Amino acid sequence: VQLSVVGLGKLGAPLAAVLASAGHDVIGVDTAARVVSDVNAGTAPVVEPGLQALMTSAGGRLRATTDLATAILATEMTFVIVPTPSGADGTFRLDYMLQAVTAIGGALGGAADHRHLVVITSTVMPGSTEGPIRAALEDAAGRPLGDDLALCYSPEFIALGSVIRDMTHPDLFLVGAAQRAWGERLAAVLLSFAPERPPVVHLSPVDAEMAKLAVNTFVTTKISYANMLAEICEGLPGADAEKVAAAVGLDTRIGPKYLRPGAPYGGPCFPRDNVALSSLARSLGGTADVAEATDRINRRQASRLAKVAVTHLGPNRTAAVLGLTYKPGTPVVEEAAGIAVAAALLDAGVSVTVHDPLGMNAARLILGNGVRWADDVAEALDGAEVAVVTTPWPDYAGVAATPGSRTVIDCWRCCTEPAAAGVTLIFPGRATPTLEVAPTA
Ligand SMILES: NC(=O)c1ccc[n+]([C@@H]2O[C@H](COP(=O)([O-])OP(=O)(O)OC[C@H]3O[C@@H](n4cnc5c(N)ncnc54)[C@H](O)[C@@H]3O)[C@@H](O)[C@H]2O)c1
């Protein structure tokens, strides 16, 4: 199938490459000339593991242009993956989306015999696809949706750092289509790049939009639930929330994934999706109590980590924050735990040194000159009375085993044990002292 992908960012560029390597002819469209020239030179325009290899293997099936109209008219299906930034009220703004959809409609308006399916992949507020997006598309195209013009909503469930794997091995595909026949056409394209042929759930666009938000907010609720257990267990002599959560997760009604105490969640999706659901509920006269509690626990978790760090400071009041990206494998620092912990420590008057293998440049724009920037882990640990490991980068496995006189707070239990002499290793969610259960023979 001839496909176009509008918006070649952190999600769009991997999708374009995945589609091309599944054998489709793909034209990527972006307003940024640098992104387009990167793609045409065969270079990954964003940092994402596996993207470069996939682009190389896609060869001539993937090209890019800034000329949206030509791309639309040369293809039969368009995925729109432009930014939908959060507004002041927490809802997702449609400015870029409506601009893109209007341009797509305009291109299609001049070609009455061209059949086209527009697929909205960006995260949007429930009601957007059949509401303002549909209106903009129909207005610009000069005709209503029908046999030759269709609109679907189909989000991707991906996490940065594992976008390509998540995209090609999803638990499910969500297809939100008002017209089932078009939904089936979209499903065939989605299944073409998923070797395990996951179930395709056909929904109305608004139900698909709602399901996308619900998945993300439910997952964040599991994280905050585990951090709530952590808060309780830390005050309960001998308790360890990690062990409790691991046991709870074995109940198949619950499941172990994302049910781990430690760092708060961050990144470009989880925090804002949660806030958007609350905002949606309020706009409808209700409240999303669970989503609101989830967000409150998440914010408190960062300040709790900073408070624990402060209690372990020595006379120099020096701390290291290791990990500024919201997860390993990505340079993205948006809403990351490390940034929040570093900021809370600065507020408490602590001298903070930070390190991250990939996120330093982005973090500099947020943390500025208030912190010391370490070039490597050893420099970060040098003189630090407390080190907080906030992202489980493999680089930090040796932090607790590095000799020195300090406390290491390992949010991910990712440090190799035993800790070196002089190092006190503590885990969020574990009360001290812990009761170790002797292994049975
Ligand atoms: N990044 C994620 O983890 C993730 C996960 C799920 C969903 N999403 C959603 O996907 C959407 C895109 O996110 P992203 O992280 O890929 O954004 P991004 O900022 O990395 O990339 C967006 C790209 O779109 C381009 N663009 C903007 N307006 C355009 C236009 N009118 N025409 C063509 N190109 C245009 C930009 O130049 C940029 O290259 C958002 O709605 C986001 O919520 C992102």
Side-chain angles (χ1 to χ4, degrees):
V1 186
Q2 317 274 321
L3 305 167
S4 39
V5 175
V6 176
L8 297 171
K10 296 184 288 296
L11 181 52
L15 180 65
V18 161
L19 289 166
S21 62
H24 304 286
D25 284 317
V26 180
I27 309 180
V29 180
D30 205 289
T31 43
R34 194 269 308 166
V35 171
V36 167
S37 61
D38 275 359
V39 172
N40 285 331
T43 307
V46 294
V47 177
E48 182 58 41
L51 178 58
Q52 183 58 57
L54 206 60
M55 285 183 58
T56 304
S57 75
R61 284 191 303 277
L62 173 59
R63 60 210 161 87
T65 177
T66 52
D67 179 0
L68 179 136
T70 304
I72 300 304
L73 294 180
T75 56
E76 53 200 280
M77 200 182 282
T78 298
F79 293 84
V80 188
I81 321 182
V82 295
T84 50
S86 300
D89 63 354
T91 62
F92 309 134
R93 295 175 56 96
L94 288 176
D95 310 47
Y96 297 98
M97 177 58 71
L98 295 181
Q99 200 185 339
V101 167
T102 300
I104 293 167
L108 293 169
D113 55 346
H114 180 96
R115 297 186 89 217
H116 208 91
L117 170 61
V118 178
V119 182
I120 307 302
T121 306
S122 297
T123 308
V124 296
M125 293 308 290
S128 301
T129 302
E130 283 292 287
I133 295 174
R134 176 177 179 166
L137 181 64
E138 290 182 336
D139 266 9
R143 59 179 186 274
L145 299 185
D147 288 344
D148 64 347
L149 177 61
L151 179 64
C152 290
Y153 174 72
S154 183
E156 291 290 335
F157 297 99
I158 56 98
L160 299 183
S162 55
V163 173
I164 288 160
R165 173 146 189 108
D166 295 349
M167 209 172 253
T168 52
H169 297 79
D171 290 340
L172 76 160
F173 282 120
L174 265 186
V175 170
Q179 305 136 291
R180 179 67 184 240
W182 284 103
E184 297 288 358
R185 285 185 61 74
L186 170 58
V189 170
L190 297 173
L191 289 170
S192 71
F193 61 74
E196 285 151 14
R197 298 188 71 79
V200 179
V201 182
H202 289 269
L203 295 172
S204 67
V206 68
D207 282 344
E209 291 163 334
M210 201 53 210
K212 161 68 181 171
L213 269 191
V215 165
N216 277 8
T217 50
F218 197 92
V219 173
T220 57
T221 295
K222 288 184 82 175
I223 298 168
S224 277
Y225 193 90
N227 283 329
M228 176 191 78
L229 293 179
E231 197 167 349
I232 296 168
C233 286
E234 282 164 28
L236 196 60
D240 185 348
E242 169 108 342
K243 290 180 181 157
V244 175
V248 169
L250 288 179
D251 185 316
T252 54
R253 293 171 300 176
I254 298 169
K257 290 184 180 170
Y258 290 82
L259 192 68
R260 271 194 79 185
Y265 59 80
C269 292
F270 278 173
R272 78 188 196 110
D273 286 0
N274 208 273
V275 172
L277 189 75
S278 304
S279 186
L280 174 66
R282 274 196 304 279
S283 74
L284 299 170
T287 50
D289 289 336
V290 174
E292 284 180 13
T294 295
D295 185 57
R296 263 200 316 276
I297 293 169
N298 198 56
R299 291 178 193 287
R300 188 162 70 233
Q301 187 65 4
S303 49
R304 280 190 344 101
L305 287 169
K307 275 191 195 134
V308 173
V310 165
T311 63
H312 289 86
L313 288 172
N316 299 328
R317 295 182 64 77
T318 51
V321 174
L322 300 170
L324 302 171
T325 57
Y326 81 100
K327 56 178 291 184
T330 170
V332 174
V333 301
E334 221 171 315
E335 301 267 343
I339 301 275
V341 170
L345 287 171
L346 286 176
D347 279 351
V350 177
S351 304
V352 181
T353 302
V354 297
H355 174 265
D356 191 277
L358 223 50
M360 299 281 261
N361 286 341
R364 246 180 255 273
L365 301 176
I366 304 174
L367 292 173
N369 295 327
V371 296
R372 216 161 56 92
W373 299 86
D375 288 333
D376 53 37
V377 183
E379 187 187 333
L381 291 178
D382 187 28
E385 295 155 337
V386 176
V388 192
V389 180
T390 37
T391 314
W393 285 105
D395 312 48
Y396 301 146
V399 165
T402 305
S405 170
R406 72 178 68 86
T407 299
V408 174
I409 303 174
D410 180 2
C411 297
W412 293 93
R413 306 199 186 198
C414 62
C415 294
T416 318
E417 293 185 67
V423 172
T424 306
L425 179 60
I426 59 177
F427 304 114
R430 187 192 279 191
T432 38
T434 38
L435 300 176
E436 289 300 339
V437 180
T440 44

